[in-house]
């Protein structure tokens, strides 16, 4: 079945440093979504990418969808303590109905 | 305010007991989802429903059951057949399926006594 992986599993950065998490699917995705879960909270939708090679920005966050629609990345410029949390990618394969989440990347930001 | 309400926040189950987790939404969303989250892992799909009176198994449906008698409600029953039920359970809804963006409840943390 479809598998979605994310690296790294954990990332500790100093406030002001950049951060990137990578998402890789075993199958081609119809779209990719990113969610953020703060400690003790629930996932919150950030963005959806649909087109091959698409790049979207939200303030300090930059999201990319790979040309082959099998990978994606989230880059945060100049991290802040408010960026702390776990970032999940999720998507639906072109070949199935289920919507699959990656295991997440947990980001810690040291002040 | 529109949103998703899950109850209870914490739940304890005895061996051999079935328990039901509540999920209610007033967002007028057609699709609803149940996920299980274990420590250090992502969300795994248990069941989803695209419309009233219809539901589909997700990746880990064994030991769980659901119903969708009303658009607003999608309760999840954790049966005694689920041998490792201790986890954080999240309910979500979306306008349709596949989800464009999911709105999540605050979750129910289930533990075994």
């Amino acid at each position: 079945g479809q598998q979605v992986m994310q690296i790294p599993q954990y990332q500790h950065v100093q406030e002001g440093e950049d951060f990137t998490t990578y998402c890789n699917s075993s199958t081609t995705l119809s779209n990719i979504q990113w969610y953020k879960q703060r400690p003790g909270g629930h996932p919150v939708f950030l963005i959806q990418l649909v087109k091959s090679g698409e790049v979207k920005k939200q303030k300090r966050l930059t999201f990319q969808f790979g040309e082959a629609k099998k990978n994606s990345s989230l880059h945060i410029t100049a991290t802040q303590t408010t960026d702390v949390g776990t970032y999940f990618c999720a998507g639906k394969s072109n070949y199935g109905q289920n919507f699959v989440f990656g295991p997440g990347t947990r980001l810690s930001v040291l002040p | 305010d529109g949103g998703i309400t899950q109850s209870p926040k914490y739940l304890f189950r005895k061996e051999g007991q079935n328990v039901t987790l509540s999920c209610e939404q007033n967002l007028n969303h057609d699709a609803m989802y149940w996920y299980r989250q274990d420590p250090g892992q992502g969300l795994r799909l248990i069941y989803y429903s695209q419309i009233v009176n219809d539901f589909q198994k997700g990746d880990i449906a064994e030991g769980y059951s659901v119903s969708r008698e009303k658009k607003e409600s999608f309760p999840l029953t954790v049966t005694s057949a689920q041998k490792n039920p201790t986890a954080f359970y999240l309910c979500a809804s979306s306008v349709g399926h596949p989800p464009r963006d999911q709105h999540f409840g605050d979750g129910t943390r289930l533990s075994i006594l």
Side-chain angles (χ1 to χ4, degrees):
Chain A
Q2 178 192 0
Q3 292 187 353
V4 176
M5 303 303 297
Q6 284 183 254
I7 54 170
Q9 188 176 3
Y10 302 97
Q11 184 79 59
H12 304 277
V13 300
Q14 202 73 37
E15 189 173 19
E17 292 181 339
D18 292 354
F19 159 77
T20 304
T21 173
Y22 299 92
C23 174
N24 295 288
S25 171
S26 59
T27 60
T28 304
L29 300 170
S30 57
N31 61 58
I32 190 86
Q33 297 178 10
W34 285 91
Y35 291 79
K36 176 184 178 181
Q37 184 176 24
R38 293 180 185 272
H42 58 261
V44 174
F45 173 80
L46 294 177
I47 207 162
Q48 173 172 284
L49 304 172
V50 178
K51 299 176 183 176
S52 169
E54 189 171 10
V55 178
K56 285 188 177 181
K57 291 191 175 185
Q58 288 180 350
K59 297 182 180 178
R60 294 179 293 106
L61 278 61
T62 302
F63 303 85
Q64 288 188 310
F65 200 9
E67 293 290 341
K69 300 183 77 172
K70 294 179 72 172
N71 55 69
S72 180
S73 66
L74 159 59
H75 179 82
I76 302 179
T77 304
T79 54
Q80 300 175 359
T81 55
T82 53
D83 295 325
V84 165
T86 301
Y87 292 85
F88 295 98
C89 64
K92 192 188 84 66
S93 168
N94 281 335
Y95 309 106
Q97 280 296 312
N98 285 357
F99 192 72
V100 179
F101 276 77
T105 295
R106 185 179 298 180
L107 173 65
S108 298
V109 179
L110 305 174
Chain B
D1 287 340
I4 297 184
T5 302
Q6 287 188 244
S7 62
K9 191 170 183 177
Y10 300 95
L11 188 58
F12 298 92
R13 195 192 90 167
K14 295 181 180 179
E15 294 285 347
Q17 188 180 45
N18 292 357
V19 290
T20 298
L21 284 59
S22 170
C23 178
E24 304 278 332
Q25 55 102 356
N26 60 5
L27 299 166
N28 201 32
H29 286 171
D30 283 318
M32 296 187 74
Y33 304 82
W34 274 107
Y35 293 93
R36 170 181 172 140
Q37 187 174 31
D38 293 283
Q41 295 190 34
L43 283 66
R44 291 185 290 168
L45 182 65
I46 305 172
Y47 268 99
Y48 69 98
S49 168
Q50 297 187 54
I51 200 166
V52 174
N53 293 322
D54 177 74
F55 48 83
Q56 309 291 332
K57 291 183 178 180
D59 299 314
I60 55 167
E62 186 174 349
Y64 300 97
S65 66
V66 293
S67 63
R68 187 85 187 277
E69 296 176 2
K70 298 186 300 181
K71 187 175 186 177
E72 302 80 20
S73 178
F74 191 40
L76 173 74
T77 297
V78 184
T79 74
S80 56
Q82 173 50 244
K83 298 306 179 188
N84 184 23
T86 298
F88 188 49
Y89 290 87
L90 285 160
C91 177
S93 72
S94 177
V95 171
H97 182 80
R100 165 64 177 87
D101 65 79
Q102 293 178 76
H103 295 248
F104 284 84
D106 289 335
T108 293
R109 196 167 296 278
L110 175 62
S111 302
I112 283 285
L113 288 178

